[in-house]
Amino acid sequence: MTLWMHELRLLLRARLSVVALILMAILTAAAVTAGMVEISRQRTAIAAIPAAQSEDIAAVADYVDRTKDAGSAGYYSFHPTWDAPSPLAFAALGMRDVSPYILRVRALGLEAQIYDGDIFNPELALPGRFDFAFVLVFLAPLFVVALFHDLTSGEREAGRLRMLDALPRGGAKLLRRRMLLRIALLWAALAVPFLVAAVASGVGGAAIFAVLAVILAYLLFWTALAALVARLRWSSVANAATLAACWLVLVLVLPTLAHVAINRAVPIGQGAEIALAQREMVNRAWDIPRETTMRRFYAGHPEWADSAPLGSAFHYKWYFAFHQLGDESVATKVRAYRSGLERRDAAARMLGWVLPSVGVQALLTRLADTDVRAQLAYQDRVRAFHARLRNFYYGYLFRDRPFGRVDFGRAPIFAARMNTAGGSNEAADRP
Amino acid sequence: MSATHLIARDELRLMARNRVAVIALVLLVLLTLAAVLSSWSHQRGIAELRMRHQQVAAAAFKAQPDRHPHRMVHYGTFIYRPLGALAAFDPGVDAFTGNSMFLEGHRQNSANFGDVRQSSLLVRFGQLTPAFVLQVVAPLLLIFLGFGVLAGETERGTLRLLMLQGVSRGQLVRGKLAALGIVALIVGLPAMVGFVAVVAQPGTLALPMAAIGLGYALYLALWVVLILLASGFARRGRDALLALLAIWTVAVVLVPRIAPDIAGAAVPLQNRLQTDVAIARDLRQLGDSHNPDDPHLAAFKQSVLQRYGVTRVEDLPVNYKGLLAMEGERLTSGLFDRYAGASFAAQTAQNRLVDAIGVLSPTIAIRALSMAAADTDFAGHRRFLEQAETYRYALVQRLNRMEAKNVSYADDIAEDAGADRRKRIAADNWQHMPDFAFIAPSASALAAAALPGISILGLWLAVATLLLTRVTRLLGARQ
C-alpha cells in the first residue's frame, strides 16, 4: 500500500500529469453539464407541446364544430408526436440535434410528412456536439498519450531505468503499478463527473455500469497501444509523436474514409424519389374516376367497403382514401430507403468492432438511444400512431358520423416509447 | 549563400533523411489527393442528381393535364438546392441541410433529405474533404515535423555552436522558418492544385478561390510561426511537442465544438411546432378564412366590390374565390417571412457568436472563411431558402390569379356532376410557368464574405510573428 502512495505522490509532483488529470475532469464535467442542459432544453420543448397544441386544436374545433365535418377535422388537425430523451441521452446526444424529436402529423399522406425536419442551425451542427461521448472518444486518448508516452522512455532518458530494473519490486512490477495508477486516475476523472450526472438524471444501474466499463475498456485500448509503442524503445518525443499520429488515424482519418466508402457502397437515392412518386399518385386521383380510387381503396381496406357510395359533391373520404393509396404506392421505395439506412448503419457498426473510436461512439449512442436506430424506431412509432389517427377519422368519415367539439378529445394520443435502455423514463414521456 | 539559406537547406535535408517524416508527408499528400477526388466526385454526383431531379420535377409540373388552378397550388413543385463548384473543396453545411424542398400553397415546408439523416454515425466524425485535411490534419503534421527545429538545437547544445560560428539568432529563426514554410507549402499545394483542377470554370470563380487560397496560406503560415514559437520557447523538444499538441487540441478539436454549444444556449431557436402554432394564431387574428364574420376578410370583400362598382361577388368580372386565395396567400406568406426572418436572425446571431469565439481559435476563422467563399455556409443555405420562398409565393399567386381570371365564380362554387370539368383550365397554362433558377451570389460577394476570416487570421499571424521576434531575442539566453 505504501508503495502505491509513493507512486501517487510521485505522480502528483509532475506538473504535466496533475494538469492533465484536472483538465480531463473539468472537460468531462463541462461536457456532461452541456449535455444535461441540452437534454433539459429538449424536455422543456416536449413539455410545452400540450399548451401550444390545445390552443391550436381549440381553434380548429371552433371552426369544425359549425359544420360537424369529420373531413375538415382530419384535414386541419395536426397531432403531435415526440421522442422523449432517455435518461442517458445527455452523455451521447447522437443524432438528436439534427433529427426532429417533435413532429406533428395529420391523417393525410404520411410519406409527405415523416421526413420533415425541425429547425436547427446547420453551422452549429456541423462540428458535432460537445458531449461526454466526444470527450471520451476524441479527447481521452490524447490524455492517455500525455500521461503514458514517457513512462519507460522518460526513466531511460533520465538514466534511472537500469537502477529501477534492479530494485526489488522494480522493473516490470513498478511499471505495471505506474500504469494501473494512471489508468485508475484517468478513469476516475472521466467516471466521477459522469456518475454524478447519471445518478442525477436517473439512469439505471445497468446502463451506468455499462458506460463505466466502456470508459475503462477504451482507456485500456489506448494504454495498451502506448505500451506497445514503448516496447519499440524509442525516445519520449518519438513515442508522443507516434501515439498522436495513431490517434489522428484511428479517430479522425479512418472514420472519415470509412464514411465515404460506406456511402459509396450503399447508395441511397430513394428519399427524394419517394416524395416525388407519392405526390404524383396523390394528385393523379383528381384526373381519374373517383370510383376507381374508392374501389382500389376498399380492395385493400375491406373494413370500410360498406360505406355509402360517393355522391356528386366533394367528400373527404375520397380525399383521405387517395392520400392513403399514395402512401401505399410508394411502400416498396420506402422499404428500400429504410433498408439502405439500416445497411449504412450496420456497416458503421461492423467497423466499430475494428475501430475502437467508432465502436465506443456506436455503443454510447445505442445505450443512450440517440443513434440512427433510435431515429428509425421513432419513425416506426410515428407510423403506428398515424395508422391509429387514420382509423380514428375514418370511423367518422366512412360512417358519416358528425364530428363535434367533444370528438376532438377522443382523438388518439401519441403513446411514448414503451421502454428504453438506460432506465425507465415514464415521467419524461408525459409531455 | 547566406546563413539563413544554409540553415533552411540543412533543416530540410535533415527532415528528408528522417524516414518517418517523409512517410508522413507522403501519406498526407495521398490523403489530400483522396480527399480531392472523393469530394469532387461526390460534389459532381450530387450536382448532377439534383439537376436531374430538378428537371424531372419541372417536367412533371408542365405535363399536368387540364386542372383547376387551385389543384396546381396543392400539386406544388419540388426544387433542389444546386451545389456550386467550390463545394468540391469545402461542402460546408451541405450535408447538414436538406437539399430538396416541396413548394405548395399555404404551407412552408422544411428542406428534407439531407445527408446527415441518411448516413451512419460516421458522418459526425467529420467529412473527408480537402478543407478538412488542411484545417485539421495539416497543422498536426507540421507540428510533428517542426516541434524540434529550435528546441532540438537548444537541447543538443548545438545552438551555442551555431552562435559561436557567427550565426545570428534572427538568421537561425528565419532559416528554420523558411524550411518549415517550404514543408507547409508541400502540405498545402496538392489541395490547392487539386482545387483548381476540379473546379470546372475557374475563370468566373477566381476571386473566391483566391480568397480561399489566401486564407489557407495564412492559416498554415500561422501554424508554422506558432510551432517556431513553441519550439523556441521550450527547453526540450518534448515540452514543445506536448505544448503544441495541447494548442492543437484546444484550437482545432475543442473550441470548434464548445463554441456552437455556447452559441446554441445563448441564442435559443424557436422550434417548428411553436412556430407553426404561432403562425396559425397570428393568422386567425389577421384574417380567419374559416370565420364567415371575420372583420378583415369582410373589409377585403367590401373593398373588392367597391373597386369594381358592384354589390354582389357574383357580379364581379373576376372570380372572387381566386382573389380571396391571393389575399390569403399574401397574409400567410407575410407571416412566413416574418417568422423565417426571426429564425434566420437568431441563427445568424448564433453564428456571429461562434465567429467571435473564433478570435480564440484560428480553426473557427478558417472554417468560416472557407465555407463563406465556397458559398456552403449558413448564409448560402439561407439564400436558397429565401429564393425558394420568393419563388413559391410567385408561383402560388400566379396560379391564384389564373383562378381569378380564367375560372368563373359560378363554376368555382358549383358542385353538380359536370362542375369538375368546367372548373379546369387548359394544360398549356402550366407550361408557361417559369422554372426555379437559383441565383448564385457574385464572385466578388463570395470573396468579400471571406474578408472577416482573412483579417482575423492576418491579425493572428501578426501577433504570432511579433511574439516570435521576442522569443528570437531570448533564444539560448535561458539554459
Side-chain angles (χ1 to χ4, degrees):
Chain A
M1 206 56 222
T2 46
L3 275 177
W4 288 94
M5 288 314 292
H6 283 310
E7 279 301 338
L8 183 64
R9 215 173 297 147
L10 203 61
L11 180 74
L12 295 183
R13 233 188 268 162
R15 201 152 34 118
L16 175 72
S17 10
V18 177
V19 170
L21 286 169
I22 292 176
L23 198 62
M24 178 93 271
I26 291 176
L27 283 171
T28 313
V32 294
T33 312
M36 284 173 80
V37 168
E38 172 63 20
I39 288 303
S40 97
R41 207 180 57 74
Q42 296 191 0
R43 287 223 166 91
T44 313
I46 290 173
I49 295 175
Q53 187 59 26
S54 61
E55 176 199 340
D56 209 40
I57 284 292
V60 178
D62 276 347
Y63 155 64
V64 171
D65 199 48
R66 294 178 212 149
T67 56
K68 307 266 192 257
D69 177 22
S72 301
Y75 185 86
Y76 290 105
S77 303
F78 284 88
H79 300 264
T81 72
W82 59 93
D83 183 23
S86 76
L88 189 58
F90 77 88
L93 296 169
M95 307 287 281
R96 288 189 72 92
D97 58 339
V98 291
S99 292
Y101 55 86
I102 298 174
L103 185 70
R104 293 205 304 168
V105 291
R106 293 192 277 178
L108 301 178
L110 182 61
E111 296 306 328
Q113 309 179 63
I114 198 162
Y115 308 108
D116 282 354
D118 211 321
I119 298 165
F120 69 91
N121 183 344
E123 266 190 41
L124 296 194
L126 179 63
R129 297 305 298 237
F130 178 64
D131 56 8
F132 176 75
F134 163 71
V135 169
L136 178 62
V137 172
F138 286 77
L139 299 184
L142 289 168
F143 285 90
V144 173
V145 174
L147 288 176
F148 285 79
H149 74 279
D150 63 345
L151 225 46
T152 8
S153 56
E155 299 296 351
R156 190 167 48 238
E157 278 151 20
R160 286 189 298 258
L161 190 61
R162 277 159 174 267
M163 183 191 70
L164 289 175
D165 278 346
L167 282 178
R169 276 183 285 181
K173 268 188 195 153
L174 177 93
L175 191 66
R176 212 175 306 138
R177 242 185 348 254
R178 287 189 171 174
M179 285 181 79
L180 280 178
L181 187 69
R182 278 167 172 74
I183 293 175
L185 288 174
L186 212 48
W187 181 80
L190 284 159
V192 172
F194 166 75
L195 202 63
V196 173
V199 170
S201 305
V203 181
I208 291 182
F209 185 77
V211 175
L212 293 182
V214 167
I215 300 174
L216 187 63
Y218 194 55
L219 288 179
L220 282 176
F221 167 78
W222 283 99
T223 47
L225 195 67
L228 219 62
V229 170
R231 288 177 72 110
L232 298 170
R233 302 178 66 82
W234 287 344
S235 67
S236 299
V237 186
N239 286 348
T242 312
L243 287 170
C246 287
W247 178 88
L248 178 74
V249 171
L250 290 177
V251 178
L252 280 184
V253 174
L254 287 182
T256 54
L257 271 172
H259 173 59
V260 172
I262 289 176
N263 281 16
R264 196 57 54 97
V266 187
I268 293 183
Q270 293 94 341
E273 286 168 23
I274 291 171
L276 276 170
Q278 193 256 8
R279 176 190 62 156
E280 286 307 323
M281 267 312 283
V282 165
N283 282 277
R284 207 169 65 93
W286 292 88
D287 304 314
I288 56 174
R290 292 188 296 170
E291 287 67 31
T292 315
T293 301
M294 295 318 288
R295 233 184 352 263
R296 280 187 45 211
F297 178 75
Y298 290 141
H301 306 276
E303 66 272 29
W304 306 111
D306 56 348
S307 179
L310 289 176
S312 66
F314 172 83
H315 196 296
Y316 259 120
K317 68 182 171 192
W318 166 68
Y319 191 89
F320 279 82
F322 72 65
H323 267 265
Q324 182 153 11
L325 287 176
D327 276 356
E328 285 162 7
S329 73
V330 293
T332 336
K333 279 199 169 71
V334 170
R335 266 197 300 278
Y337 182 60
R338 189 190 167 107
S339 100
L341 295 181
E342 282 169 341
R343 289 218 311 282
R344 281 185 174 181
D345 182 52
R349 264 165 213 292
M350 284 296 287
L351 187 72
W353 290 103
V354 192
L355 274 187
S357 52
V358 176
V360 169
Q361 180 78 23
L363 245 162
L364 286 180
T365 47
R366 182 85 289 273
L367 284 170
D369 217 19
T370 54
D371 55 357
V372 175
R373 259 196 249 180
Q375 303 310 319
L376 293 178
Y378 174 46
Q379 285 195 353
D380 286 344
R381 293 198 297 277
V382 174
R383 282 182 195 283
F385 173 64
H386 190 262
R388 283 172 59 212
L389 270 185
R390 274 188 164 138
N391 211 43
F392 169 71
Y393 285 109
Y394 289 0
Y396 292 85
L397 274 171
F398 286 87
R399 305 278 179 257
D400 285 314
R401 280 165 53 204
F403 197 99
R405 194 181 296 274
V406 286
D407 296 294
F408 281 91
R410 298 197 176 111
I413 290 171
F414 181 71
R417 63 177 88 208
M418 293 307 125
N419 73 333
T420 50
S424 87
N425 55 343
E426 268 177 37
D429 273 0
R430 224 161 282 136
Chain B
M1 198 179 272
S2 75
T4 311
H5 261 109
L6 276 172
I7 286 166
R9 212 180 55 183
D10 201 51
E11 185 65 43
L12 284 173
R13 202 182 296 152
L14 203 68
M15 283 187 204
R17 244 186 261 156
N18 179 348
R19 213 179 311 148
V20 180
V22 173
I23 291 173
L25 199 61
V26 170
L27 280 180
L28 184 91
V29 171
L30 287 179
L31 188 71
T32 309
L33 291 180
V36 169
L37 284 178
S38 90
S39 198
W40 173 60
S41 86
H42 184 68
Q43 184 269 339
R44 284 278 298 271
I46 285 184
E48 268 167 36
L49 187 75
R50 291 187 197 166
M51 206 199 292
R52 212 170 55 233
H53 277 146
Q54 186 66 75
Q55 282 163 356
V56 169
F61 187 89
K62 295 192 165 154
Q64 287 306 298
D66 295 0
R67 281 260 166 93
H68 185 284
H70 194 67
R71 291 271 39 88
M72 291 303 281
V73 167
H74 280 280
Y75 180 75
T77 193
F78 281 88
I79 58 164
Y80 301 85
R81 187 194 153 156
L83 197 56
L86 299 187
F89 181 81
D90 188 347
V93 299
D94 184 69
F96 286 77
T97 59
N99 44 56
S100 120
M101 217 174 162
F102 180 49
L103 308 182
E104 59 179 328
H106 326 316
R107 273 177 72 73
Q108 195 173 40
N109 291 311
S110 63
N112 292 346
F113 303 112
D115 261 356
V116 71
R117 286 184 65 193
Q118 304 190 132
S119 297
S120 66
L121 67 123
L122 294 175
V123 70
R124 306 313 288 274
F125 279 80
Q127 298 173 80
L128 185 64
T129 63
F132 168 80
V133 173
L134 289 185
Q135 287 168 15
V136 177
V137 187
L140 201 57
L141 184 78
L142 288 177
I143 289 174
F144 289 153
L145 296 180
F147 71 88
V149 284
L150 291 173
E153 305 278 4
T154 315
E155 203 172 359
R156 287 190 301 269
T158 41
L159 181 66
R160 290 211 170 155
L161 285 177
L162 280 169
M163 285 191 192
L164 282 174
Q165 287 170 340
V167 177
S168 77
R169 294 183 171 101
Q171 283 173 326
L172 179 71
V173 170
R174 275 197 297 279
K176 303 285 189 184
L177 207 55
L180 206 56
I182 288 171
V183 176
L185 213 59
I186 299 173
V187 166
L189 216 52
M192 284 301 147
V193 171
F195 182 31
V196 175
V198 299
V199 171
Q201 66 280 44
T204 55
L205 293 168
L207 267 178
M209 287 173 79
I212 288 176
L214 176 64
Y216 282 96
L218 286 173
Y219 180 69
L220 291 183
L222 172 64
W223 276 106
V224 167
V225 174
L226 280 179
I227 291 165
L228 263 288
L229 254 178
S231 190
F233 193 75
R235 257 171 259 193
R236 292 181 305 167
R238 188 166 72 107
D239 296 347
L241 177 64
L242 289 178
L244 284 166
L245 282 179
I247 292 173
W248 179 86
T249 306
V250 171
V252 180
V253 184
L254 196 58
V255 177
R257 284 248 192 180
I258 292 180
D261 263 46
I262 295 172
V267 186
L269 285 186
Q270 203 175 32
N271 66 25
R272 211 174 150 185
L273 181 138
Q274 297 293 346
T275 308
D276 286 353
V277 170
I279 287 178
R281 180 194 307 135
D282 289 358
L283 199 60
R284 283 195 296 278
Q285 278 154 14
L286 273 183
D288 188 352
S289 58
H290 292 147
N291 179 2
D293 311 320
D294 181 76
H296 175 84
L297 294 177
F300 173 73
K301 187 168 164 183
Q302 210 48 50
S303 78
V304 170
L305 293 177
Q306 244 164 28
R307 198 177 338 139
Y308 287 97
V310 292
T311 49
R312 298 185 321 145
V313 288
E314 286 82 356
D315 301 334
L316 285 170
V318 288
N319 178 358
Y320 180 67
K321 278 188 80 176
L323 296 183
L324 200 59
M326 287 178 74
E327 174 65 5
E329 199 62 44
R330 191 183 68 79
L331 293 178
T332 45
S333 295
L335 289 175
F336 291 157
D337 287 347
R338 204 173 87 211
Y339 279 89
S343 180
F344 289 152
Q347 295 184 52
T348 307
Q350 290 179 336
N351 295 337
R352 287 274 143 71
L353 205 60
V354 173
D355 288 346
I357 300 170
V359 173
L360 298 175
S361 153
T363 308
I364 290 184
I366 185 70
R367 207 184 57 196
L369 173 172
S370 167
M371 287 195 295
D375 197 28
T376 52
D377 60 348
F378 168 72
H381 182 57
R382 172 182 181 168
R383 199 171 294 128
F384 167 70
L385 293 178
E386 285 178 342
Q387 290 187 21
E389 173 57 23
T390 308
Y391 177 75
R392 184 195 75 82
Y393 183 64
L395 181 82
V396 171
Q397 290 302 55
R398 211 177 252 265
L399 290 165
N400 285 336
R401 209 169 297 127
M402 284 181 190
E403 181 177 1
K405 284 192 174 157
N406 305 354
V407 183
S408 80
Y409 184 70
D411 286 342
D412 220 0
I413 56 168
E415 287 198 340
D416 59 286
D420 181 60
R421 185 56 250 168
R422 297 199 304 277
K423 285 178 197 183
R424 296 178 182 233
I425 66 169
D428 65 343
N429 279 300
W430 324 137
Q431 283 148 23
H432 302 309
M433 288 286 180
D435 287 343
F436 174 72
F438 179 70
I439 302 161
S442 69
S444 52
L446 288 178
L451 281 181
I454 289 181
S455 15
I456 290 181
L457 287 176
L459 205 68
W460 263 88
L461 189 59
V463 171
T465 313
L466 216 68
L467 282 174
L468 187 60
T469 55
R470 281 192 64 87
V471 168
T472 305
R473 249 178 282 145
L474 295 171
L475 202 60
R478 308 168 300 143
Q479 280 292 331

